């Protein structure tokens, strides 16, 4: 079964063709990040307009690179929630128009379910049940994946996402937006113990996160140093931040897996590209005898392949829709998109 999937929930215009879910025939990503970097963050209006400009060319390129004809497609999919609403509507409307023209089903896909499916693309042997961490610029969430389309949120952030904290701290260090990857690089040669940063927990909710205190503490450190005319060491601060995030995330994901009796863990989303988080998660999973499935960096950030893969499992579960399908800025990963 051949599926063309569109992803336009934030600042990447992406398209991919999958065969029977996990075989990715093409994966085209147009990043708008240079445009948004000028403003220090994603500007929703600019994102929607850029998606509208690029979506046709990106989709056509995905079909061309897959070596197929448009008429070979069995279904068309798009991310319909959660995300920037204007941005989502561009990809979803394009995909719905394609499905009408080709007379094939339209499959709406939840963005977080897509991130989880990056694990299926990277590891042919990976099957539910397992525990998933999705950590990105907009989400930090631990999910019990009982089956391909059946999942429960075990823990989530109460305030900022982990990526948001990385990006705001990156900004005070004058790093270009988004700062996560640059902070990761700086952290490699930093002393993690020079600056003390908090690891927050939420009373009575062992799998929930809070990153706003960490963000404020790091930003204040930098501002106070500046006011005193002192230099903050960017490498040391980056290392302190990366370790604080990893220390907040890693034990919780492993504890959640153990609580659910799961023997496998996956991690995805842009923050799952973080080298310190990956190293700590690898070490703890090894210690606890849990199999860890970490997709390559190219599949951690937003891409079309993860949506094209998840779309197949949604189709198999009967989750297809039509041109009346709407998009939603917020939606729980456990909820069904079709029929809303
Ligand atoms: O999944 P993603 O590409 O887009 C969203 O759905 O948000 O994630 C982007 C986020 C940004 O906050 C970025 O700074 C962060 O992922 N990020 C990283 C790294 N690479 C990207 N954070 C920490 N370490 C990295 N290596
Ligand atoms: Zn994402």
């Amino acid at each position: 079964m051949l599926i063309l999937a569109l992803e336009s929930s934030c600042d990447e215009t992406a398209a991919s063709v999958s065969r029977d879910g996990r075989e990715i025939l093409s994966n085209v990503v147009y990043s708008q990040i240079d445009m948004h970097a000028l403003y220090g963050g994603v500007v929703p209006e600019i994102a929607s307009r850029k998606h509208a400009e690029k979506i046709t060319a990106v989709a056509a390129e995905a079909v061309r690179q897959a070596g197929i004809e448009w008429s070979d497609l069995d279904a068309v999919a798009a991310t319909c929630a959660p995300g920037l609403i204007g941005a989502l509507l561009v990809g979803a409307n394009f995909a719905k128009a394609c499905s009408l023209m080709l007379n094939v089903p339209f499959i709406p896909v939840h963005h977080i379910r897509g991130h989880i499916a990056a694990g299926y693309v990277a590891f042919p042997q990976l099957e539910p049940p397992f525990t998933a961490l999705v950590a990105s610029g907009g989400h930090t969430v631990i999910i019990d994946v009982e089956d391909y389309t059946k999942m429960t949120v075990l823990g989530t952030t109460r305030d900022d996402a982990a990526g948001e904290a990385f990006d705001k701290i990156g900004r005070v260090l004058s790093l270009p937006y988004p700062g996560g990857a640059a902070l990761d690089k700086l952290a490699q040669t930093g002393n993690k113990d020079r600056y003390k940063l908090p690891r927050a927990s939420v009373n009575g909710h062992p799998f929930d996160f809070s990153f706003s205190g960490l963000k404020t503490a790091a930003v204040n450190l930098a501002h106070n140093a500046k006011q005193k005319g002192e230099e903050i060491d960017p490498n040391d601060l980056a290392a302190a931040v990366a370790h604080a995030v990893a220390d907040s995330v890693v034990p919780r994901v492993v504890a959640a897996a153990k609580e659910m009796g799961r023997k496998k863990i996956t991690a995805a989303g842009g923050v799952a590209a973080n080298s310190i988080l990956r190293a700590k998660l690898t070490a703890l999973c090894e210690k606890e005898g849990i199999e860890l499935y970490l997709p390559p960096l190219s599949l951690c950030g937003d891409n079309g392949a993860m949506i094209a893969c998840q779309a197949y499992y949604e189709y198999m579960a009967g989750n297809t829709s039509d041109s009346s399908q709407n998009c939603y800025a917020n939606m729980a990963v456990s909820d069904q998109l079709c029929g809303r």
Side-chain angles (χ1 to χ4, degrees):
M1 176 177 192
L2 291 172
I3 300 175
L4 167 69
L6 284 307
E7 155 61 40
S8 68
S9 65
C10 192
D11 55 354
E12 261 94 30
T13 317
S16 168
V17 174
S18 66
R19 179 184 280 133
D20 298 336
R22 297 184 187 223
E23 190 187 343
I24 301 303
L25 303 186
S26 63
N27 187 18
V28 180
V29 182
Y30 167 76
S31 173
Q32 309 176 352
I33 210 69
D34 293 351
M35 218 98 46
H36 299 293
L38 301 173
Y39 302 90
V42 176
V43 183
E45 174 75 13
I46 294 176
S48 307
R49 286 169 186 268
K50 271 289 147 197
H51 286 310
E53 272 176 41
K54 293 289 176 185
I55 196 104
T56 311
V58 168
E61 183 60 12
V63 171
R64 191 190 69 77
Q65 285 187 17
I68 60 163
E69 301 295 328
W70 284 87
S71 55
D72 295 330
L73 290 168
D74 298 299
V76 185
T79 307
C80 289
L84 302 171
I85 193 67
L88 286 166
L89 286 166
V90 174
N93 277 322
F94 180 86
K96 289 195 292 183
C98 292
S99 93
L100 266 180
M101 293 303 294
L102 298 167
N103 198 22
V104 296
F106 170 65
I107 311 168
V109 178
H110 192 287
H111 184 73
I112 303 297
R113 291 190 186 194
H115 271 303
I116 294 168
Y120 306 140
V121 175
F123 303 100
Q125 75 278 26
L126 176 64
E127 284 180 16
F130 54 80
T131 302
L133 165 73
V134 177
S136 68
H139 310 273
T140 309
V141 55
I142 300 174
I143 300 157
D144 183 60
V145 183
E146 194 179 329
D147 207 342
Y148 290 100
T149 58
K150 192 167 180 220
M151 33 200 99
T152 314
V153 171
L154 300 176
T156 187
T157 181
R158 294 298 184 103
D159 38 57
D160 297 342
E164 212 173 324
F166 273 116
D167 295 341
K168 294 271 161 60
I169 295 163
R171 197 191 292 192
V172 298
L173 291 176
S174 304
L175 299 174
Y177 176 85
L183 273 174
D184 193 1
K185 217 177 249 172
L186 287 175
Q188 301 306 313
T189 50
N191 169 7
K192 69 179 172 56
D193 298 318
R194 175 158 172 189
Y195 302 114
K196 301 274 170 267
L197 292 173
R199 278 91 168 129
S201 53
V202 182
N203 238 344
H205 298 272
F207 307 132
D208 277 359
F209 309 98
S210 166
F211 294 107
S212 75
L214 166 66
K215 177 188 74 182
T216 307
V219 168
N220 285 346
L221 257 172
H223 283 162
N224 290 344
K226 201 173 175 187
Q227 275 171 2
K228 287 190 215 148
E230 293 169 8
E231 289 278 316
I232 198 108
D233 186 305
N235 299 76
D236 292 351
L237 184 61
V241 170
H243 280 272
V245 169
D247 289 347
S248 298
V249 170
V250 170
R252 284 188 171 82
V253 183
V254 173
K258 287 172 79 173
E259 166 111 354
M260 300 306 293
R262 305 301 187 206
K263 301 275 183 282
K264 295 178 259 183
I265 288 178
T266 69
V271 176
N274 186 268
S275 59
I276 290 164
L277 189 146
R278 289 171 87 90
K280 288 198 163 186
L281 191 54
T282 303
L284 191 56
C285 283
E286 248 172 56
K287 186 167 167 243
E288 297 289 346
I290 292 174
E291 290 171 33
L292 178 62
Y293 296 85
L294 278 179
L297 305 196
S298 59
L299 287 170
C300 283
D302 288 348
N303 64 84
M306 66 189 200
I307 306 298
C309 178
Q310 180 62 22
Y312 173 76
Y313 294 105
E314 298 292 345
Y315 177 87
M316 296 307 270
N319 296 334
T320 60
S321 189
D322 58 28
S323 56
S324 66
Q325 176 69 50
N326 209 338
C327 293
Y328 303 91
N330 295 301
M331 190 180 158
V333 71
S334 49
D335 286 354
Q336 291 298 341
L337 260 165
C338 356
R340 271 171 69 116

